[in-house]
Amino acid sequence: MSRPDNRDFKRLFLADTPMMDTRSPGEFAEGAFPQAVNLPLMLDDERARIGTCYKHEGQQAAIALGHQLLQGAIKKARIAAWLDFAQTHPEGYLYCFRGGLRSRISQQWLQEAGIDYPRIIGGYKAMRRFLIHQLELSAQHRFIVVSGQTGCAKTRLLQGLADAVDLEGLANHRGSAFGKRLGGQPTQIGFENALSIALLKRRHAAPQAAIVLEDESRLIGRIAVPEVLRESLRQAPLVVVQMPLPERVEHTFHNYILRNLADWQAYAGELSGFATFAEELRQNLATLQRRLGGYRHSQLLAEMNAALAEHARGNPDAHRFWIEPLLRDYYDPMYAYQLGLKAERVVFRGSYAEVAAYLGEER
């Protein structure tokens, strides 16, 4: 029995329903949903040609051109990809931009191939509008913001909490000048979509519980935290993780050195991965040169280069010699100043374990 078309966006997102996005690759790249797979009806150049035809000759001529372009082996290949998705995800749905012609054609071709597959009414545009509204509703929810000096393992703490949303994870960036992650960042729209869905899930799972977020600046890498959410977070109570400098150096060393290098070498191979990792470290430090000052930057760069030379010989331990002064002399004073501006919002201070226990009780 075939399933009906669907416009229950909330249920679709809460269930992580698989979605077949039939928009062009260019449209998908601008913004998509976490559970969507791009299996386009038309590629970008095909869509551009049909769009030009529609503009100058009207809808019927554009449809005729579409059928001319999408026939034979091209049509068979696209239907085969859709059939594979539909058979792998029988609970899924398909959509195009507005839920109109492209998704109906995709439905029809699948039907002719023997599968009735439902579409999402209103398409991407309606779902995007829904998520923008949900983000505005989420911004009215109760929040707790976790703060702490660089290297306090705040992200790891959040990942252990049921009611937390990891902004840095969604942005695929650790937040600092050294925070780039392999794979790059999503688009701004893609980040907002994923954030809205994550907040919706937290609100649905525990409507009365505060949602825990990390204290972030306006930008996480190149991704902007939506202003409607930032305004709420500026009023939220603050919980501060306190950790001794040696422990923060170790956490930074393991995450920004050992883990980053392992990621790069798994992606690019041992030698090429190390070279890329080393160059990225130097570039990250260079972005701080103006704020560090020329003398302090040159000192840290010399320590970094010496550590990289040792690391290339198999001993990564010397990285601690530049990580410690960078944390102590650059990040810590900046953090102290920023926290001073928010002092009246602090409701709890404690060690990693104490903050984790406090947040568990707060839930």
Side-chain angles (χ1 to χ4, degrees):
M1 186 176 183
S2 61
R3 292 176 296 129
D5 295 340
N6 197 328
R7 61 167 9 116
D8 189 348
F9 306 144
K10 182 176 181 179
R11 182 171 296 182
L12 290 169
F13 287 122
L14 288 175
D16 287 327
T17 304
M19 297 180 180
M20 181 198 304
D21 187 325
T22 66
R23 297 178 300 156
S24 69
E27 291 173 289
F28 186 84
E30 289 178 8
F33 308 121
Q35 67 272 49
V37 174
N38 187 215
L39 297 173
L41 171 67
M42 297 180 291
L43 301 183
D44 293 325
D45 60 334
E46 294 162 348
R47 177 172 174 257
R49 288 181 62 185
I50 293 169
T52 301
C53 180
Y54 179 88
K55 181 178 179 181
H56 295 290
E57 301 179 43
Q59 185 181 53
Q60 290 307 311
I63 292 173
L65 177 60
H67 285 298
Q68 179 185 333
L69 293 174
L70 307 177
Q71 61 178 321
I74 292 175
K75 180 177 178 180
K76 287 181 181 178
R78 290 180 196 174
I79 293 174
W82 298 340
L83 285 171
D84 182 64
F85 183 93
Q87 290 163 352
T88 305
H89 305 289
E91 76 281 23
Y93 292 83
L94 64 83
Y95 64 87
C96 61
F97 183 65
R98 292 186 179 86
L101 187 59
R102 281 184 284 178
S103 57
R104 291 181 188 277
I105 290 173
S106 304
Q107 266 189 321
Q108 180 185 336
W109 288 1
L110 277 169
Q111 210 167 37
E112 291 168 357
I115 288 185
D116 287 321
Y117 207 64
R119 67 186 175 92
I120 297 173
I121 299 169
Y124 175 84
K125 187 175 183 180
M127 288 187 284
R128 168 71 176 158
R129 191 183 305 119
F130 169 81
L131 289 179
I132 291 172
H133 178 60
Q134 289 301 312
L135 188 56
E136 293 168 351
L137 293 179
S138 292
Q140 301 169 23
H141 197 79
R142 187 165 65 96
F143 293 99
I144 295 175
V145 176
V146 174
S147 186
Q149 293 166 305
T150 301
C152 279
K154 300 181 290 294
T155 298
R156 186 178 70 196
L157 189 151
L158 263 65
Q159 289 171 345
L161 298 172
D163 295 317
V165 171
D166 179 9
L167 294 174
E168 293 183 0
L170 295 174
N172 199 38
H173 196 284
R174 294 192 181 97
S176 72
F178 292 81
K180 292 180 183 177
R181 285 177 168 168
L182 197 64
Q185 294 192 263
T187 64
Q188 180 68 35
I189 292 173
F191 169 78
E192 291 171 3
N193 288 342
L195 173 60
S196 182
I197 293 168
L199 292 171
L200 172 64
K201 288 179 177 179
R202 295 280 73 77
R203 288 166 41 219
H204 179 78
Q208 304 306 315
I211 298 174
V212 184
L213 297 174
E214 187 174 338
D215 193 12
E216 301 285 357
S217 60
R218 185 180 68 85
L219 293 176
I220 306 174
R222 60 169 175 74
I223 295 294
V225 178
E227 186 58 31
V228 66
L229 180 61
R230 275 181 51 77
E231 183 59 34
S232 292
L233 298 183
R234 281 193 282 263
Q235 315 301 321
L238 209 61
V239 174
V240 179
V241 183
Q242 297 173 319
M243 187 178 286
L245 179 60
E247 291 182 33
R248 293 191 290 117
V249 170
E250 287 306 302
H251 178 77
T252 303
F253 172 69
H254 282 276
N255 274 275
Y256 289 78
I257 303 300
L258 301 185
R259 182 178 168 186
N260 275 6
L261 176 59
D263 288 346
W264 271 114
Q265 290 183 325
Y267 174 75
E270 187 172 348
L271 293 178
S272 182
F274 186 88
T276 305
F277 156 79
E279 183 56 30
E280 191 171 78
L281 277 184
R282 296 186 186 101
Q283 289 178 2
N284 292 340
L285 186 63
T287 64
L288 300 179
Q289 183 171 0
R290 184 177 60 83
R291 282 181 278 179
L292 285 168
Y295 177 70
R296 186 160 53 171
H297 171 263
S298 64
Q299 282 186 312
L300 288 171
L301 181 59
E303 290 283 5
M304 179 183 285
N305 283 328
L308 286 167
E310 281 294 306
H311 198 166
R313 290 191 286 269
N315 177 22
D317 293 341
H319 285 289
R320 295 180 178 89
F321 293 127
W322 65 265
I323 291 173
E324 181 171 337
L326 183 65
L327 293 181
R328 183 188 62 234
D329 301 331
Y330 174 71
Y331 280 107
D332 287 1
M334 184 169 57
Y335 169 78
Y337 171 76
Q338 291 171 346
L339 184 62
L341 301 176
K342 311 167 190 174
E344 73 284 353
R345 290 168 46 206
V346 176
V347 295
F348 186 82
R349 298 173 188 260
S351 68
Y352 181 97
E354 289 168 338
V355 168
Y358 173 85
L359 291 173
E361 292 167 2
E362 175 64 23
R363 184 182 191 279

